[in-house]
Amino acid sequence: MPSINKTDGQMPSIVLPEYVRALTEVLEAAGEEAYLVGGSLRDLLLGQVPHDYDLATSAPPRRTADIFSEEYRVIETGLKHGTVTVLSEGKPVEITTFRIDGSYTDGRHPDAVSFTDRIVDDLSRRDFTVNAMAYRDKTGLLDPFGGRADLTDRLLRAVGEPVRRFSEDALRILRAFRFSAQLGFVIEEATLEGIGRCKEGLERIAKERIAAEFLKLLCAKSPAPALRAMRDGGVLPYVIGDYCPKEAIIDKLATMPAEDTARLGLFFADTDTARAAELLRGLRLSNKQITGACAVLRGSAYEVRTPADARRLIAASGVWASMAVRAAVLLGNAEAEAIGWVEKNNAPCQLSDLAISGRDLLAVGIRGKDVGKTLLELLSAVMNDPSLNQKELLLEMIKKGL
Ligand code: ATP
Ligand code: MG
């Protein structure tokens, strides 16, 4: 079994899954170097199961593709940036040529990417020490920036000079907070100071990329300390403008189901739906995400003391009722029992839950736009009173003109 250091009892050994190790062997047999790098190596060293595996290789991208093309399925979409995706036992593994980024004149993208044959150069362009290690069986762990010690101390430290690294790419600022929320790590002092000096750079980062990091942070294991650090360091306004939820909400986020809409709904529960929707639009989130988050936030304000209250919350939050009631419980607006009431009620909350379909409406002579309109009216009626959700009753209602 490959191991980084047999005398070190603290860190788990690094064992690559067979389908990944097979790829490193193919590259090494072709005379190239192949290392496990990035988040997958970090997670293995933390004893966690990585969600995917990234390899770095000395082989230029075209050559990587050629090496694998006979025996594997190769996806070449990232070739220009040096990345080739190889399917091994049906699972995608990204293999990227050792890279150095050129200068960053816009604070977002390197002006040019060039390839190198030295793994250490590739590691030095990476963001944090814990993400800048490399491993291969033959030579063990390569850790030029002290990532392993930082993993032990649970610290996020920029590789190199923090101000330079954050001015090259301000997204790294949000990555620091996101990793600190996911891993439960503290941002090292000089790194945090660098963040403070470079935060304006976030203005040049695309909102979509900001939103992606922010959602990962919100859904992480411990978002609260990271959010407080962002608030106290003046970074939060670059993400969500002048809004900041009260302490009680920040504290409760970790106990909300780890899902985008649910956590956004609770996060924005300290304002009204109009303002939340505006802020969420500013993050270029999809209409579905915005509607969902607003539904959770709306329902979270409901006082639920009886099953009838639960039905009202269902009417207000629709498909998001079960998330909304959880938020309401966390905010102290609802009894813990309310979750059961909402779920047991199993109220119809989307069109497909209705005991009647568009086809039934056509059969009784409703046409065109009126079909959708009628279905929505029926849905609204049964959300208020689930006992109405029976085909005959609904047809009766239609006959009576609803
Ligand atoms: P996860 O995939 O679990 O979110 P990760 O560390 O794998 O975490 P990725 O975004 O997948 O993060 O990036 C892979 C690696 O690429 C990182 O570990 C880091 O070494 C490097 N990296 C990614 N983005 C940047 C960046 N903006 N600046 C510098 N290095 C980066
Ligand atoms: Mg990754």
Side-chain angles (χ1 to χ4, degrees), residues 38-39 42 51 125-127 131 169 172 175 178-179:
R42 177 198 68 221
H51 53 82
R125 69 156 172 106
R126 295 176 182 265
D127 47 8
N131 289 345
D169 176 7
R172 290 174 189 151
R175 288 174 59 87
R178 185 258 283 192
F179 285 122

Side-chain angles (χ1 to χ4, degrees), residues 178 182 208-220 239 258-261 263-264 268 280 283 285-286 289:
R178 185 258 283 192
Q182 288 178 327
E208 291 79 357
R209 302 178 74 204
I210 291 186
E213 288 299 329
F214 184 57
L215 289 179
K216 283 187 193 169
L217 185 157
L218 273 189
C219 292
V239 179
E259 192 273 333
D260 288 359
T261 314
R263 294 235 172 145
L264 279 173
F268 284 103
L280 291 166
L283 281 176
L285 293 183
S286 69
Q289 284 169 308

Side-chain angles (χ1 to χ4, degrees), residues 39 51-52 54:
H51 53 82
D52 50 23
D54 291 325

Side-chain angles (χ1 to χ4, degrees), residues 20-333:
V20 179
R21 208 171 59 88
L23 302 186
T24 64
E25 278 173 9
V26 170
L27 283 163
E28 300 266 350
E32 301 291 349
E33 289 173 31
Y35 293 86
L36 184 71
V37 288
S40 45
L41 177 56
R42 177 198 68 221
D43 291 347
L44 281 179
L45 285 167
L46 286 169
Q48 295 170 2
V49 182
H51 53 82
D52 50 23
Y53 290 83
D54 291 325
L55 298 177
T57 184
S58 52
R62 188 66 264 158
R63 175 158 158 72
T64 306
D66 290 344
I67 289 173
F68 287 102
S69 62
E70 257 185 37
E71 293 196 30
Y72 290 85
R73 226 191 107 203
V74 174
I75 304 162
E76 297 189 3
T77 42
L79 208 69
K80 255 203 325 215
H81 303 106
T83 303
V84 171
T85 304
V86 176
L87 287 187
S88 182
E89 293 176 21
K91 292 178 272 283
V93 177
E94 287 197 349
I95 307 178
T96 306
T97 305
F98 303 157
R99 247 174 56 182
I100 21 182
D101 298 338
S103 52
Y104 286 71
T105 43
D106 64 355
R108 299 180 282 185
H109 303 294
D111 299 332
V113 168
S114 52
F115 301 120
T116 162
D117 52 11
R118 282 168 36 100
I119 178 70
V120 177
D121 294 339
D122 177 277
L123 296 179
S124 64
R125 69 156 172 106
R126 295 176 182 265
D127 47 8
F128 304 105
T129 62
V130 296
N131 289 345
M133 295 181 275
Y135 171 85
R136 68 172 175 161
D137 286 353
K138 227 191 239 175
T139 43
L141 187 75
L142 193 60
D143 178 19
F145 307 105
R148 197 154 69 125
D150 285 339
L151 275 184
T152 309
D153 298 340
R154 310 186 75 75
L155 277 181
L156 275 169
R157 183 195 308 271
V159 169
E161 214 284 298
V163 169
R164 203 186 111 222
R165 302 312 310 287
F166 293 123
S167 26
E168 280 172 0
D169 176 7
L171 190 71
R172 290 174 189 151
I173 293 174
L174 295 187
R175 288 174 59 87
F177 291 108
R178 185 258 283 192
F179 285 122
S180 107
Q182 288 178 327
L183 304 169
F185 283 20
V186 167
I187 300 176
E188 175 272 333
E189 215 180 297
T191 303
L192 194 60
E193 201 191 310
I195 286 176
R197 288 173 54 190
C198 300
K199 56 183 192 261
E200 288 83 8
L202 283 167
E203 279 169 0
R204 296 194 298 271
I205 302 290
K207 291 288 184 227
E208 291 79 357
R209 302 178 74 204
I210 291 186
E213 288 299 329
F214 184 57
L215 289 179
K216 283 187 193 169
L217 185 157
L218 273 189
C219 292
K221 199 174 62 185
S222 44
L227 283 171
R228 286 200 183 95
M230 284 172 78
R231 178 196 62 197
D232 299 344
V235 173
L236 206 53
Y238 293 94
V239 179
I240 40 134
D242 58 353
Y243 174 75
C244 181
K246 62 184 175 202
E247 283 292 320
I249 289 183
I250 296 181
D251 274 336
K252 294 285 164 42
L253 279 167
T255 43
M256 191 69 179
E259 192 273 333
D260 288 359
T261 314
R263 294 235 172 145
L264 279 173
L266 179 59
F267 182 83
F268 284 103
D270 209 8
T271 185
D272 55 54
T273 48
R275 178 149 171 257
E278 192 190 320
L279 295 167
L280 291 166
R281 272 196 297 274
L283 281 176
R284 312 279 189 278
L285 293 183
S286 69
N287 282 337
K288 197 170 159 214
Q289 284 169 308
I290 298 174
T291 319
C294 288
V296 173
L297 126 64
R298 199 179 309 115
S300 71
Y302 274 63
E303 291 209 4
V304 187
R305 311 284 171 214
T306 64
D309 293 339
R311 279 201 296 279
R312 275 187 277 278
L313 180 145
I314 290 166
S317 299
V319 274
W320 293 102
S322 90
M323 293 300 175
V325 71
R326 282 174 168 76
V329 171
L330 289 174
L331 294 174
N333 295 329

